[in-house]
Amino acid sequence: AAAEEDEDDDIDLFGSDDEEEDQEAAKVREERLRQYAEKKAKKPGLIAKSSILLDVKPWDDETDMAKMEECVRSIHMDGLVWGASKLVPVGYGIKKLQIQCVVEDEKVGTDILEEEITKFEDYVSLGMGCGKGL
């Protein structure tokens, strides 16, 4: 009976005490973690973008709106893409240019756009407005 109890003590029901297997499992786990970290580091992060609708107001009803739009679209920045545009009546025969753009938030802001657009003082009134949405 004493011999049977000794045999039961030698049986490991929950795993092995063999250190080689534990070291091998740790190596495999470390390798997988390293591969995961490398893969995650290569993946590009999320880029925040905004869709902006700009209202560009001319000086008067004699302003060349096609030239004004050409000037606005001539603004090129990293992270800026111009979209559709249209002329919207304001009153008394005056129309404003409404133009859409998409910007990367970290690269281009509305302040920079407004500053660049108002540099075309022959065409653009300083009372330019803009709305921002996504």
Side-chain angles (χ1 to χ4, degrees), residues 16-134:
S16 174
D17 288 335
D18 189 18
E19 286 185 26
E20 286 183 29
E21 284 185 29
D22 290 342
Q23 288 177 350
E24 191 64 35
K27 285 181 185 178
V28 169
R29 183 174 50 252
E30 290 297 320
E31 178 64 21
R32 287 184 182 161
L33 287 172
R34 185 186 62 76
Q35 288 173 353
Y36 175 75
E38 284 178 7
K39 183 177 178 182
K40 192 171 183 177
K42 291 179 184 176
K43 187 175 180 181
L46 185 65
I47 299 173
K49 294 183 179 182
S50 294
S51 177
I52 301 173
L53 183 63
L54 297 168
D55 289 338
V56 185
K57 298 173 187 168
W59 275 110
D60 56 24
D61 61 341
E62 295 179 9
T63 301
D64 184 353
M65 297 302 286
K67 183 65 177 168
M68 185 171 80
E69 181 178 353
E70 183 183 320
C71 290
V72 170
R73 289 185 182 273
S74 72
I75 299 170
H76 296 283
M77 296 180 195
D78 186 32
L80 169 66
V81 178
W82 292 109
S85 66
K86 65 180 179 179
L87 296 177
V88 179
V90 177
Y92 303 105
I94 299 175
K95 295 182 180 180
K96 66 181 176 183
L97 172 67
Q98 213 171 54
I99 188 164
Q100 185 81 23
C101 66
V102 176
V103 297
E104 290 182 28
D105 293 344
E106 294 206 7
K107 295 179 180 178
V108 181
T110 56
D111 295 341
I112 296 169
L113 277 176
E114 185 173 352
E115 185 179 306
E116 290 296 315
I117 291 172
T118 54
K119 286 181 181 178
F120 303 110
E121 8 181 270
D122 291 342
Y123 301 101
V124 178
S125 170
L126 297 179
M128 189 186 98
C130 67
K132 182 176 178 182
L134 201 74

